[in-house]
Amino acid sequence: MAQTTPTMTERQGWTFLITVVLLAVLLFGGGLVGCPYYKVWERKMAGQAELQYQQGARQALIAQAKAEDEAAISRAEAATRRVRGWADAAKRGCEDLGRPNDVTCENQLLRDAATYSIAKEGHEGVIISVGAPVSVAVQPNAPAPQRSE
């Protein structure tokens, strides 16, 4: 048996050529029409991604600000407790020295406590004047100064 190779007729050739040309025109035309829509969609997606990023960054900044606010409030409350403790200690110290209700004694002890606290925390640049040590500044054997009221 002899093999025959299939051959296209002239009409089939023209039909194939027209089909290929039509497909090429459709693809090219679709690309021309679809390209602007794709660019718009691409920009929209990029805008949405940027918006989500900015919202996340904003939320992070808000959380950081809240944390800093809470920390500042806690530091202020701690400083208030510390100063109240100093005042109570100064009052008791002056009473122990036999000088109850002596404002000068209490003020000197408060100054000394503040100076010690500032130096202990490493804020030496804040110290304006350093008082004498408590034992010298208070002078327990000296008579208490008279207060005028």
Side-chain angles (χ1 to χ4, degrees), residues 10 80 90 94 96 136 142:
E10 191 176 326
T80 301
C94 289
D96 290 346
V136 175

Side-chain angles (χ1 to χ4, degrees), residues 82-102:
R82 189 169 46 247
V83 170
R84 285 182 180 159
W86 293 344
D88 291 342
K91 190 171 203 155
R92 284 192 311 270
C94 289
E95 287 173 0
D96 290 346
L97 292 171
R99 297 173 67 181
N101 299 322
D102 184 354

Side-chain angles (χ1 to χ4, degrees), residues 103-117 129 131:
V103 176
T104 306
C105 175
E106 290 177 17
N107 286 342
Q108 183 60 48
L109 288 176
L110 280 173
R111 243 186 267 108
D112 291 340
T115 301
Y116 172 77
S117 176
S129 65

